[in-house]
């Protein structure tokens, strides 16, 4: 991994162009920007979100154990679900709260959040009630297992294969968890943050343009 | 016996013969009369009727498909990963290349998500939103035309292709007039549009709408109620509402089951609630119904475009916030779209602050507050969702696209198993997958 890529993973922004110390004279170099962690939201959540959360709490006895966090941000509700309870919660969401459709799963990799590096994010859609919510499930890098929801939402089959392929999250219980985009014998999972973008420097009339991942970055 | 074309090999599942050419009789002689015989056929990835580089792995019993599986990934270009190494504005140039038949929708979904992250959804100028809607609807027509044209071609009907591409050409001309590019337009940008329509655009577009409406009738006559076309598509590739919901299938395939689910109506964005149009449905749940939905949806799109043209008022096409708005002014010169010379003269000669601003925004880009959003639009193929995570920096932390083609292609097995090989073509054509979108 290049130094710049390592810089990218820092959770704090400082300076410009990857220069630390006095390399920068613009005045911007002294700026410190901490990344804001979006915390749990307090009730009332607003809109139909209260109905959804209350409904789940009523229907699902293990609510307090399974739901780690309820976040409302930019008009979207995210339920952070403990991975051991994912399938149960999914079943209640589908059957009792009418989230009949799962629009797939997307992954995210946060190498700095030790113990919660890998995330699986499921956007859910209720055709009956015209509602949307999102489930977020975390797994550590050294135990990248999350239960599969293919038996609840069959359409997640390919999406889970994609997320396995790109992030290395192993969806336990998936009927055939194989790579879907990359060749079967590929090693590594391309969309993890520790996987380099790659690319070769391009030379033009004597000057060399480095590949995108090695160019200077503004943080 | 030619050993170059087929060779037996022992596996855990028994002896397997791989055949890639040669004389079938030779193979039959060599196999002799084995007890069990399974024929697995690779259709694609280089097959003209698989809609791009799609590989279908079919297990056949005579002409009947007993199992169907898709092999995808041949067009995987790492667009999602690439966007993590460019500024938020540059991301548009990548995502427009995913589903190359509906670039405007890719751009719109991405930009709506970025604007939601920035919290500027309400500040997008009216004119920009209206032009976005118009471009999306033109794009819906051009995408449906390709579906009908190539779908017909794949099933042996050549004429719809000629008609479809005639009209599509006019729409691509409109894209070229507005953005300088026929495909991969990168016209919709976070905050608004790359540039305004040229001065003489509106009369030209009105003229085009008139011609397209007249010409669409040609294809309608070719396809609606045509008995040969119906023999190939009616009652073929059945997928009912329960199947669609279980498999997450949206778009014309879902509407062909009678479910009037169209995000433009149910969860309006870009002011779609202010337009009059009908959601087209069918109740046949088969390939014919899906094609008919596309035929009639084009008329609805023209209705929306006309309403846009009536409402267009002069005004800005980029958000007013100068910390976000793309600073360059583009104009169409003799050598294509480029920086407006007047604008360059102004920033280079008169205002140092404008020059600094321009430099900062173009090289560094704007910062987007940390968080994650999901923005969905109704693309010609179904729900196209952009799930975007920001860590507060000048580049996206993660961009994921929920591609309707990718999702809907899963239903191939459900539609095809038990049907004839010839119906597989009709099924795939009726899903209308675009492999650039599937593989990203």
């Amino acid at each position: 991994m290049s130094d710049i890529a390592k810089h990218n993973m820092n959770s704090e922004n400082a300076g410009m162009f990857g220069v630390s110390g006095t390399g920068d004279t613009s005045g911007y170099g002294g700026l410190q920007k901490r990344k804001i962690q979006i915390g749990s939201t307090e009730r009332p959540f607003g809109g139909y979100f209260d109905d959804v959360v209350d409904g789940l709490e009523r229907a699902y006895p293990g609510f307090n154990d399974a739901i780690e966090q309820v976040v409302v941000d930019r008009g979207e509700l995210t339920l952070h679900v403990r991975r051991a309870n994912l399938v149960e919660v999914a079943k209640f969401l589908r059957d009792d709260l009418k989230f009949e459709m799962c629009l797939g799963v997307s992954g995210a990799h946060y190498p700095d959040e030790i113990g919660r590096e890998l995330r699986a994010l499921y956007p859910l859609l209720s055709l009956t009630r015209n509602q949307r919510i999102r489930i977020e499930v975390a797994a550590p890098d050294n135990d990248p297992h999350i239960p599969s929801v293919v038996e609840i939402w069959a359409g997640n089959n390919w999406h889970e294969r994609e997320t396995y392929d790109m992030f290395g999250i192993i969806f336990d219980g998936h009927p055939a968890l194989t790579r879907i985009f990359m060749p079967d014998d590929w090693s590594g999972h391309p969309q993890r943050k520790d996987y380099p973008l790659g690319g070769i420097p391009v030379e033009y009339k004597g000057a060399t343009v480095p590949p995108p991942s090695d160019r200077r970055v503004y943080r | 016996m030619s050993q170059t074309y087929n060779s037996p090999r022992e596996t855990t599942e028994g002896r397997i013969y791989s055949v890639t050419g040669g004389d079938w009789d030779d193979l039959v002689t060599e196999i002799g009369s084995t007890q069990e015989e399974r024929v697995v056929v690779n259709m694609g990835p280089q097959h003209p009727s698989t809609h791009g580089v799609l590989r279908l792995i079919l297990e056949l019993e005579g002409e009947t498909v007993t199992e169907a599986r898709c092999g995808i990934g041949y067009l995987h270009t790492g667009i999602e990963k690439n966007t993590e190494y460019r500024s938020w504005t540059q991301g548009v140039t990548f995502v427009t290349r995913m589903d190359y038949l509906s670039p405007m929708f890719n751009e719109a979904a991405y930009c709506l998500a970025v604007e939601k992250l920035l919290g500027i959804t309400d500040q997008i100028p009216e004119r920009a939103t209206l032009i976005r809607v118009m471009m999306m609807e033109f794009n819906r027509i051009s995408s449906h035309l390709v579906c009908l044209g190539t779908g017909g071609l794949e099933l042996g009907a050549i004429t719809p292709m000629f008609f479809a591409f005639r009209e599509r050409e006019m729409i691509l001309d409109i894209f070229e007039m507005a953005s300088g590019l026929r495909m991969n337009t990168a016209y919709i940008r976070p905050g608004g549009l790359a540039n305004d329509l040229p001065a003489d655009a509106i009369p030209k577009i009105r003229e085009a709408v008139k011609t397209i409406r007249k010409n669409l009738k040609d294809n309608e006559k070719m396809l609606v109620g045509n008995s040969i076309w119906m023999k190939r598509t009616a009652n073929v590739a059945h997928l009912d509402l329960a199947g669609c919901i279980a498999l997450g299938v949206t778009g014309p395939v879902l509407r062909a089951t009678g479910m009037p689910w169209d995000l433009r109506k149910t969860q309006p964005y870009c002011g779609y609630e202010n337009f009059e149009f009908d959601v087209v449905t069918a109740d046949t749940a088969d390939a014919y119904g899906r094609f008919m939905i596309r035929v009639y949806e084009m008329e609805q799109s023209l209705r929306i475009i006309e309403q846009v043209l009536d409402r267009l008022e002069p005004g800005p096409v980029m958000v007013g916030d100068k910390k976000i708005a793309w600073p360059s002014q583009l104009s169409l010169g003799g050598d294509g779209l480029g920086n407006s010379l007047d604008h360059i003269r102004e920033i280079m000669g008169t205002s140092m602050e404008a020059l600094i601003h321009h430099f900062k925004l173009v090289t560094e880009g704007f910062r987007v507050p940390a968080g994650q959003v999901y923005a969905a639009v109704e693309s010609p193929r179904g729900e196209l969702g952009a799930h975007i995570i920001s860590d507060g920096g000048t580049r996206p932390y993660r961009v994921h696209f929920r591609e309707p083609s990718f999702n809907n292609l899963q239903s191939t097995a459900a539609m095809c198993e038990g049907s004839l090989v010839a119906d597989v073509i009709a099924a795939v054509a009726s899903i209308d997958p675009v492999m650039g979108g599937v593989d990203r």
Side-chain angles (χ1 to χ4, degrees), chain B residues 82-382:
Chain B
N82 264 293
T83 54
E84 292 168 19
Y85 292 87
R86 315 287 166 139
S87 75
W88 291 92
T89 308
Q90 285 173 314
V92 176
T93 328
F94 280 89
V95 300
T96 188
R97 282 162 171 75
M98 296 188 315
D99 180 344
Y100 43 81
L101 291 183
S102 54
M104 293 294 177
F105 292 92
N106 301 336
E107 295 163 19
Y110 175 82
C111 291
L112 288 177
V114 174
E115 286 157 10
K116 206 167 171 187
L117 272 171
L118 285 164
I120 57 166
T121 308
D122 300 333
Q123 299 167 30
I124 307 303
E126 174 81 4
R127 185 175 170 86
T129 304
L130 284 172
I131 295 176
R132 281 178 181 186
V133 168
M134 180 175 78
M135 288 304 178
M136 281 195 277
E137 293 310 319
F138 267 129
N139 202 169
R140 190 183 311 278
I141 300 174
S142 73
S143 173
H144 281 354
L145 283 171
V146 174
C147 172
L148 295 169
T150 59
L153 201 60
E154 285 158 15
L155 297 177
I158 294 176
T159 319
M161 180 83 166
F162 295 144
F163 287 142
F165 273 64
R166 181 185 61 189
E167 272 74 78
R168 177 171 180 262
E169 199 60 28
M170 302 179 68
I171 293 172
L172 295 189
D173 283 346
I174 292 170
F175 289 170
E176 188 178 358
M177 175 177 67
S179 73
L181 293 157
R182 289 155 53 85
M183 295 169 81
N184 309 328
T185 46
Y187 184 57
I188 301 173
R189 301 275 175 87
L193 302 172
N195 52 308
D196 202 350
L197 297 172
D200 58 344
I202 304 296
K204 277 187 184 168
I205 293 173
R206 278 197 195 277
E207 199 56 39
V209 168
K210 216 184 280 173
T211 318
I212 292 170
R213 172 167 285 137
K214 184 163 73 62
N215 288 353
L216 282 180
K217 292 278 181 284
D218 290 334
N219 243 346
E220 203 178 315
K221 280 182 207 148
M222 287 298 302
L223 296 172
V224 180
N226 177 334
S227 57
I228 304 172
W229 179 248
M230 287 183 75
K231 279 208 168 101
R232 289 299 310 272
T233 55
N235 297 318
V236 164
H238 186 85
L239 189 69
D240 63 6
L241 180 59
C244 281
I245 288 178
L247 291 170
V249 174
T250 46
V253 183
L254 176 63
R255 288 195 286 279
T257 66
M259 175 89 187
W261 185 264
D262 187 322
L263 292 180
R264 291 177 294 171
K265 280 278 187 216
T266 54
Q267 301 180 354
Y269 50 92
C270 287
Y272 268 109
E273 64 273 24
N274 304 321
F275 293 101
E276 271 178 39
F277 66 100
D278 300 325
V279 176
V280 183
T281 57
D283 56 4
T284 52
D286 60 0
Y288 181 70
R290 290 166 208 150
F291 285 121
M292 286 311 103
I293 286 177
R294 296 195 174 98
V295 169
Y296 295 121
E297 265 187 3
M298 294 193 286
E299 172 57 31
Q300 298 302 322
S301 293
L302 287 176
R303 274 179 75 187
I304 298 175
I305 292 167
E306 283 174 333
Q307 292 171 53
V308 169
L309 291 172
D310 292 341
R311 286 182 207 177
L312 266 185
E313 302 277 346
V317 292
M318 184 50 93
V319 69
D321 187 346
K322 288 290 177 203
K323 294 285 175 203
I324 293 167
W326 192 246
S328 71
Q329 306 287 319
L330 299 182
S331 70
L332 203 57
D335 54 347
L337 194 70
N339 277 313
S340 148
L341 293 176
D342 289 336
H343 177 64
I344 291 181
R345 206 169 294 126
E346 188 200 321
I347 61 171
M348 296 292 281
T350 62
S351 166
M352 190 166 75
E353 288 74 19
L355 185 63
I356 293 171
H357 221 92
H358 190 123
F359 177 76
K360 290 283 285 176
L361 266 176
V362 173
T363 54
E364 179 178 342
F366 49 79
R367 289 195 165 74
V368 172
Q372 58 175 332
V373 295
Y374 179 87
V377 298
E378 183 75 28
S379 93
R381 276 158 273 281

Side-chain angles (χ1 to χ4, degrees), chain B residues 76 79 278 345 396 432:
Chain B
H76 178 62
I79 285 174
D278 300 325
R345 206 169 294 126
D432 187 26

Side-chain angles (χ1 to χ4, degrees), chain A residues 55-56 59-61 66-67 79 81 84-102 122 124 133 135 148-153:
Chain A
L56 184 64
Y60 176 49
I67 310 295
L79 298 175
V81 180
N85 306 86
L86 173 65
V87 178
E88 284 167 40
V89 173
K91 224 176 160 80
F92 278 103
L93 284 173
R94 185 193 65 180
D95 296 339
D96 293 86
L97 290 142
K98 305 282 179 245
F99 286 97
E100 309 96 343
M101 228 184 231
C102 182
Y122 306 78
L124 304 184
I133 62 167
I135 301 180
S148 166
V149 295
V150 171
E151 60 174 278
I152 314 279
W153 293 292

